[in-house]
Amino acid sequence: MADILISEVGPRDGLQSIDRIMPTEAKKRWIAAEAAAGVREIEVGSFVPPSLLPQMADSAEIVAFACTIPGLNVVALVPNAKGAARAIEAGAHAISIPFSMSETHSLKNVRKSHAQMLEEIAVIAGLAKAARVHFAVGLSTAFGCTMEGPVEEDQVVRLAVASAEAGAQEFSLSDTTGYANPAQVKRLVRAVKAGVGAERMTTLHLHNTRGLGLANALAGLEEGITTLDASLGGLGGCPFAPGASGNIVTEDLVFMLEAMGVNTGIDLKALLDVRAIVAEALPGEPLYGFTPDAGLPLGFEGIAA
């Protein structure tokens, strides 16, 4: 099986999902420590107005810092063209915009219809191309929506194709609400690949809300997915299911892959040590993970040969 890229999203998705604000210097220590452990890509912030997400107010400074770390691909989430321009100005290597496959969710979340979102994607694609910045679209609520329920797979494919025609270079299927199951993951990955091409349908952003996160990740790998998003300690929880874990736990995902002989390039022992930085900066914030609780099994080397 080919090498798999683990994209750490905790500094963005994790931190913007909790009320408290992590100090800027702690964010920098976290990002630097993960990069030192072998994490090659980190989504470090979001260029949403600080009035809406004060947790992300320092994103420009964080992007600038992260760009000084050799070999790290620095990703930023953007909500619109204005945010994209700010992310590009800050120096992000790649930008991503969430595009809800549920129109009800899109209207409530960003106040834009599907047609309006496609117009926004086209504008951002132009900005990214001019700046030579990679531009990805996250197909959010692709597996189901708490407002609409099931989302038609044909609709996901149609909107993915339209986004590609508007200039999106890469796609992620996002289980925003924790609805996905392995059979559905396989089916939808195949369908979107058929629509936009395998080289563009590369990534899964999965939640562990109902305990299926790693099973869904494995299903994606079996369909040729090469990038998996995860959050250290599953940070952020899930706003749609109080008390349930949110993002896939980075440490558990790395353990599963390395135990299978899949090379992530990450030193798991070093990664486990990074939790102390987050715990110190966010005292009392729940951190999830079976691997950190149980420890590594005897003879586990941390990085597959």
Side-chain angles (χ1 to χ4, degrees):
M1 197 178 289
D3 288 0
I4 297 300
L5 175 66
I6 304 299
S7 183
E8 172 63 57
V9 299
R12 193 281 301 176
D13 195 9
L15 293 183
Q16 78 170 31
S17 300
I18 62 176
D19 292 332
R20 69 180 78 187
I21 297 173
M22 179 181 275
T24 300
E25 292 308 309
K27 289 185 185 181
K28 292 178 180 179
R29 288 198 302 274
W30 177 5
I31 291 164
E34 282 218 26
V39 175
R40 293 171 285 156
E41 180 173 289
I42 303 178
E43 190 177 57
V44 301
S46 172
F47 285 82
V48 172
S51 58
L52 297 177
L53 277 180
Q55 302 94 321
M56 297 289 110
D58 58 358
S59 285
E61 181 178 347
I62 295 298
V63 166
F65 166 77
C67 286
T68 67
I69 300 174
L72 181 65
N73 191 40
V74 180
V75 182
L77 182 135
V78 302
N80 49 37
K82 184 175 180 180
R86 289 174 56 215
I88 290 168
E89 182 181 8
H93 301 143
I95 57 176
S96 175
I97 186 170
F99 181 15
S100 180
M101 300 295 92
S102 156
E103 192 154 38
T104 304
H105 186 271
S106 184
L107 289 167
K108 186 172 180 64
N109 193 40
V110 294
R111 298 178 184 177
K112 284 185 172 66
S113 67
H114 283 162
Q116 290 170 319
M117 280 299 300
L118 288 167
E119 291 174 359
E120 197 79 15
I121 287 168
V123 173
I124 296 172
L127 294 173
K129 184 177 181 180
R132 297 184 178 179
V133 168
H134 189 73
F135 175 43
V137 169
L139 305 171
S140 59
T141 66
F143 298 96
C145 171
T146 52
M147 301 170 193
E148 287 188 10
V151 174
E152 291 294 330
E153 293 178 5
D154 287 349
Q155 176 164 295
V156 177
V157 175
R158 176 178 59 79
L159 293 173
V161 170
S163 299
E165 292 171 348
Q169 294 173 282
E170 188 177 12
F171 292 94
S172 168
L173 283 171
S174 300
D175 187 20
T176 312
T177 54
Y179 276 34
N181 64 70
Q184 185 186 20
V185 168
K186 284 175 168 284
R187 201 166 55 241
L188 194 53
V189 168
R190 284 182 203 148
V192 176
K193 275 189 174 185
V196 303
E199 73 284 356
R200 283 178 168 162
M201 181 57 255
T202 62
T203 305
L204 288 178
H205 178 101
L206 301 167
H207 282 202
N208 196 42
T209 310
R210 292 172 176 84
L212 295 180
L214 292 182
N216 289 334
L218 186 56
L221 296 183
E222 290 173 350
E223 292 299 325
I225 288 296
T226 56
T227 301
L228 293 166
D229 290 353
S231 176
L232 191 85
L235 188 66
C238 180
F240 303 101
S245 58
N247 295 297
I248 290 179
V249 176
T250 307
E251 303 95 306
D252 287 343
L253 178 61
V254 172
F255 174 75
M256 181 185 79
L257 295 175
E258 294 286 345
M260 292 169 59
V262 178
N263 180 28
T264 65
I266 296 171
D267 182 336
L268 183 52
K269 293 176 183 176
L271 183 69
L272 289 169
D273 290 339
V274 181
R275 287 171 69 97
I277 296 172
V278 177
E280 180 184 357
L282 300 172
E285 191 66 40
L287 293 179
Y288 301 93
F290 290 102
T291 303
D293 289 344
L296 299 177
L298 186 63
F300 185 83
E301 296 298 328
I303 297 181

